[in-house]
Amino acid sequence: MKVSDRGITILHRGQRWLAVLLAIALISSLSIGMTYAAEDKVTGIEFDYDPLDYNNSTSSFELIVGEDQITLDVLASIEGSTSKKVVTSAVTWKSSNTNYVKVDKGVITGVGKGSALISATYKDYKVSIRATSDYLYDSVTIMNNNEAAPSKVQGELGQSFTYTLNGTKNSNVEDITSEATWTTSNASVATVDEGTVTLMGTGTATITAKLKGKSDSITVNVSSPYKSIAISPSNQLELEVGQDDYKLQAVATLKAGGTVDVTDDATWTSANPKVATVEHGFVRPIGTGKTTISVTHKGVTKTTEVVVRTAYQSIRLSPENEYHMFLQDNPLQIQAEVLHNSNVSYVATNLAEWSSSDVVVATVYNGVVTPKAVGTTKITASYKGLSRSVTVTVYPSITDLSIDSETIDGFVNSSEKLPTVTGKLFDGSKIDVSKLVQWSAKDESIAVIKDGKWQAKEIGETVLTAKIKNYEDEVKLVTHAKPLKLVADASNLNIVIGKDVAYPSVTVINVDGDEEDVSDKVKWKASSENLILKPDTMKGLEASTVTLTASYLNKSTSIKVRIEEEVVKFVVEPEVLELYPNRSKSIKVTGYYKDGRSVVLNSKIDWSSLSTNIASIRGNTVKALTVGNTVITGSYQGNTINVPVIVSPKLKNLSLSDRSAKLSPGGTFTVKLTANYTTGSPVVVTEEAVWTTSKASVATVKDGKITAVSKGSATIKATYGGKSTTIRVTVK
C-alpha cells in the first residue's frame, strides 16, 4: 500500500483518526488475503524422497524384506505460489501388489520378492513410482557340523546340541547364527539360545531360526534314557502325626538294561504339603489326611499314596471356648485331655505345646495362664496333630457395678439374653463386664438363669441380680403371655398442622388367641421431629409424612402419618360410578385449602367398599365384580367421602326373532327383539327399542309390528342400548 506525502504529513501533525482508518484498512486487506489463501488451488503433485533411496539404473526403490522402510512425501503445487505444500497425510495411497510391497501413509515396506507400483492420489492428481522388494538371503539353513541338519532329530532328556545358521545369496554363504531369531514351540521339551538346544523334557518341539523373512526348522523328539522308575516300598504308606521321617527309595530302569538308584538326584513332590512333605525321599508327616508323593527323573515318573493319621481322636480343654478374668486375678490353670483311638483318655497338659496369640495380654506355660495386661488373647494347646484353643479376656479392676435397664419385659416360654452390665473403672470411665457377671433369679418359679440367658416360666414378676466380687445390681423382670401380632386400628392417618390428635388404638393378639388393648402400654416413636409425641396426643408441626411406630414387648406396628394443612372442601369426580362387571375406573378427589390452593388426594385417602362382593377398591381404582349397587367410602382429616357405585350388566348384542319377512300390501308382521348381556341373562326389549324404516312408502313399524304399505323392499332397524340390528321386508 502506498501513502502520499501529504498523508504522511497529516499523520505527523497528529491526525490519529486517519491512522486508525489506515490500520483498519490494512487488517481488512490481510483478512481478505487469508481468505484467498484458504482457498488454495492445486495445479499438480509430486513425490519427495531421499535420492539415496532411489536406484536410477532400475528406476525403482529397492527394499529388503524385514529390514528397510522408505518414506515418501507428496508435495502439491499451489496456483500463484512458488512454494509447495506437504499433503502426505491427506493423500490416498495404493500398492499395485501388496504381496510384494505395502504402503501406509507414505511409508513403503517390502514383504515379498517382486515389484509393485506405488501411487498417490490427491485432488484429482495422481503420481506413481515403482518399488522392488527382495529377501536378504535366498534361503537360510540350520547346519550341524557344516552339513544341513536333518529335519527330525532324536535325543535323550538332558542332552544338548549346537547348531548354526547359514544364509545363502546368489551362491554366497554367510554364517548368520548370532543375527537370527531362534525360537522353540515347546520350552518344556527343548530350549534354544543362539543355536544351542537343550533337551528339558520328553516330547516333541520344533526349533526355528528366522532372519529377514526367511526361516528354517527342525523337529526334536526327546525321550528318556530310562524305561521306568519305581518307589520302594511300593505299597501305600501309613504314617502318624509326630512320627519320625520315613525314607523312600527311587530306582530307575535304563532302556539299555540295568537299574540306577536316583533317590538323591530325582525330584520329589507332595500333592498336599499340609499332610506330608518330602525331600530327597524323606517323608515327614505333618497333619492328618491323604496325599500323593511323586518322584520324577529324566522323563519318568512314579507316585505312591501316603495316609497320615493321628493316634488320638480329639483334645479337650477345661475351661472351654472362652474365659474372662480381671488383671489382678490369680493365674488360670487350663487342663488338656486327649482321647486315644483305643477310647482311652489321659491328661496331656504337660505334654502339649502351649501358645498365646498375644503374650502382652497373657502368657501360658504348661496350661497356666497368667494375666499381664488388659485385652484378649487366644490360648492354644497342640498335641500330635490335634489342637484346640480357648479365648481369654483380661479386664481392668472395677469400683462399681450397674445394669443398663431397670425393667425387662418378656413372655412365657421365651428365652432372652441378659442385659448389659457395666463396671466403673478407677478413672471414672466404664466398661462392659457382662461376661464376668454371676446372675441369680429371686423367684425361680417365674424365671430361671441358664446359659447366659433368662428363661420365663410363668406370668408374673421377679428380680434378677448381677454380682461380681463384692459388687451387685438388680433388674426387674416382668413376664407376659407371648404376643403374636400387634395391630393398630389405622394404617394411615391424616392430621392437620397444629391440631392435637389422639393416638390410634393398639391391640396385641397373643398366641393363645386372646386379645388385649395395650394402647396405654405401647411405646411410641416418630421418624421425624415434625411430629411431636405427647403423653396422650400427638401434634404435627410441618407438612410432611412421618412414620409412627408402636412397640410392645418384641412386636411393633407402624402407621403412616401425613401432616397437612386443613382441607375445607372436597370435590369428587365422578360423583357416581357406573360400571359394567369386571371393568375398573378411578376416583379423583381434589381438596381445597382455606387460601384456595388445591391438592389431589386420590392416593392419600383410605377407601373401603360397603359391599366387597359388588365392587372392590385398590388405591383409588374401583373394580366392578357383579351387578348391584354399593358405596365406596373414604376418610380424610376426619371427613367422610361417599361415592355411590352402580354395576349394570353390559349389553353384548341384539337379536331379532326373524331376519326377513315377505308381505302383501296391507299385511302385518310382528318381530321380537332380545337384548343379550355378558351376564348370560337375555331380556326381551321389543317395546323399549327405537324402530325405524328405510322406506315408509313400502313398510312402517311400531314396537316391532311391521305393516306393509306398497310393493317394494325396506330395511327395518331396531336400536337399543347403543347397538342395532335389522330385518329385511319384501312387499309383493
Side-chain angles (χ1 to χ4, degrees), residues 140-201:
V140 296
T141 307
I142 296 176
M143 307 294 291
N144 183 20
N145 296 325
N146 297 321
E147 293 183 358
S151 60
K152 293 185 178 180
V153 178
Q154 299 290 334
E156 290 186 347
L157 197 152
Q159 287 183 301
S160 63
F161 307 102
T162 300
Y163 296 97
T164 58
L165 185 67
N166 284 350
T168 304
K169 184 69 173 180
N170 298 328
S171 300
N172 294 322
V173 179
E174 295 182 32
D175 185 335
I176 56 174
T177 306
S178 60
E179 300 171 45
T181 300
W182 295 81
T183 59
T184 176
S185 65
N186 192 339
S188 64
V189 173
T191 61
V192 61
D193 182 20
E194 288 195 5
T196 300
V197 179
T198 303
L199 308 186
M200 306 297 293

Side-chain angles (χ1 to χ4, degrees), residues 327-618:
L327 183 59
Q328 72 272 19
D329 284 352
N330 293 326
L332 167 68
Q333 175 66 65
I334 301 178
Q335 298 291 341
E337 188 178 8
V338 293
L339 179 65
H340 195 271
N341 289 338
S342 62
N343 203 31
V344 176
S345 63
Y346 60 89
V347 176
T349 304
N350 295 331
L351 300 175
E353 294 182 5
W354 293 87
S355 64
S356 171
S357 64
D358 190 345
V359 294
V360 174
V361 175
T363 59
V364 60
Y365 178 75
N366 285 345
V368 178
V369 179
T370 304
K372 296 293 186 180
V374 175
T376 299
T377 185
K378 182 178 286 187
I379 304 299
T380 302
S382 301
Y383 182 70
K384 292 190 176 182
L386 300 175
S387 65
R388 203 167 189 85
S389 300
V390 60
T391 300
V392 175
T393 302
V394 180
Y395 294 81
S397 303
I398 63 172
T399 59
D400 197 7
L401 196 68
S402 62
I403 301 173
D404 65 352
S405 54
E406 296 180 358
T407 303
I408 303 172
D409 285 302
F411 46 88
V412 176
N413 296 326
S414 67
S415 180
E416 299 290 341
K417 290 176 63 176
L418 290 157
T420 300
V421 181
T422 302
K424 186 177 181 181
L425 304 183
F426 175 76
D427 60 2
S429 60
K430 293 184 178 181
I431 186 174
D432 187 343
V433 292
S434 303
K435 297 290 183 68
L436 290 162
V437 171
Q438 290 182 334
W439 286 93
S440 61
K442 184 176 182 180
D443 187 347
E444 294 192 343
S445 65
I446 301 297
V448 295
I449 307 296
K450 186 177 181 180
D451 298 329
K453 296 181 178 181
W454 56 260
Q455 295 182 352
K457 301 174 70 177
E458 298 289 343
I459 296 176
E461 296 182 8
T462 186
V463 174
L464 306 181
T465 302
K467 185 175 182 180
I468 298 178
K469 296 185 180 299
N470 297 324
Y471 306 104
E472 64 178 48
D473 197 10
E474 296 179 343
V475 61
K476 182 171 69 173
L477 172 63
V478 181
T479 60
H480 312 263
K482 186 175 182 180
L484 179 64
K485 188 176 183 181
L486 205 61
V487 180
D489 65 354
S491 59
N492 293 279
L493 288 176
N494 300 99
I495 65 175
V496 177
I497 295 174
K499 288 188 177 182
D500 286 319
V501 180
Y503 292 107
S505 298
V506 180
T507 301
V508 63
I509 303 173
N510 297 320
V511 292
D512 57 8
D514 289 343
E515 297 184 11
E516 179 186 357
D517 186 341
V518 291
S519 303
D520 59 342
K521 298 179 181 179
V522 298
K523 294 181 179 178
W524 294 100
K525 182 179 179 182
S527 63
S528 170
E529 294 179 352
N530 288 338
L531 184 64
I532 296 177
L533 304 183
K534 299 180 179 181
D536 299 315
T537 60
M538 55 184 169
K539 182 167 69 173
L541 298 181
E542 293 182 10
S544 58
T545 299
V546 180
T547 299
L548 179 66
T549 303
S551 300
Y552 177 69
L553 298 180
N554 63 339
K555 300 296 179 181
S556 64
T557 186
S558 295
I559 300 100
K560 184 181 290 185
V561 180
R562 297 187 184 92
I563 306 170
E564 301 176 321
E565 295 182 41
E566 185 176 7
V567 176
V568 296
K569 179 183 176 183
F570 296 89
V571 175
V572 183
E573 298 177 82
E575 295 182 354
V576 177
L577 275 176
E578 295 184 4
L579 296 169
Y580 295 128
N582 297 318
R583 299 303 294 270
S584 299
K585 194 169 185 179
S586 297
I587 300 173
K588 180 181 179 182
V589 179
T590 304
Y592 291 87
Y593 299 113
K594 290 180 180 179
D595 59 5
R597 290 181 299 112
S598 63
V599 60
V600 177
L601 303 174
N602 305 343
S603 60
K604 299 180 179 181
I605 296 176
D606 289 327
W607 295 99
S608 62
S609 173
L610 294 183
S611 299
T612 54
N613 61 324
I614 293 176
S616 64
I617 183 163
R618 185 174 184 179

